[in-house]
């Protein structure tokens, strides 16, 4: 049985932005924030999920969306956030997107 798709919204503020997940019936929201790290580079600097969302896959869903968007935009990612860095370590297939940081 496949896991249900978690809807991840993206808010782009130009030089920064965030990925956000809100789940029905759960208060609060999970977020992964990023900022511009120079030409062709974004810095993933913070990931947060409220207690009620931990273990649901929302953080992983936000990182997958970050990866997909980086591929589509042709940018590199500096994983300044420990969670995003750990996901890069678990997914060597993403190494082509790894920026220096």
């Amino acid at each position: 049985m496949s896991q249900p798709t978690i809807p991840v919204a993206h808010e782009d503020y130009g030089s920064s932005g965030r990925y956000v997940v809100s789940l029905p019936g759960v208060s609060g929201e999970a977020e992964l924030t990023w900022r511009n790290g120079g030409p062709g580079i974004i810095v993933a600097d913070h990931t947060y999920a409220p207690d009620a969302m931990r273990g649901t896959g929302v953080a992983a869903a936000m990182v997958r969306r970050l990866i997909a968007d980086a591929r589509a935009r042709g940018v590199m990612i500096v994983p300044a956030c420990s969670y995003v860095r750990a996901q890069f370590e678990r997914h060597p297939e993403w190494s082509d997107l790894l920026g220096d940081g």
Side-chain angles (χ1 to χ4, degrees):
M1 183 187 308
S2 65
Q3 194 173 27
T5 301
I6 297 170
V8 178
H10 182 222
E11 299 172 357
D12 189 334
Y13 309 125
S15 63
S16 66
R18 70 184 192 138
Y19 293 90
V20 185
V21 173
S22 298
L23 297 177
V26 178
S27 64
E29 60 187 19
E31 72 173 0
L32 185 163
T33 61
W34 62 269
R35 60 184 162 78
N36 187 347
I41 298 172
I42 57 174
V43 179
D45 54 13
H46 178 70
T47 304
Y48 170 77
D51 289 342
M53 289 189 195
R54 295 195 181 183
T56 64
V58 297
M62 291 186 297
V63 175
R64 285 192 303 272
R65 174 74 188 272
L66 169 73
I67 294 296
D69 288 355
R71 286 201 190 286
R73 292 176 49 202
V75 298
M76 304 292 281
I77 300 168
V78 175
C81 164
S82 60
Y83 182 80
V84 176
R85 191 167 40 255
Q87 290 299 308
F88 265 93
E89 291 170 5
R90 289 186 188 109
H91 295 275
E93 68 274 17
W94 297 346
S95 65
D96 62 310
L97 295 175
L98 192 56
D100 294 330

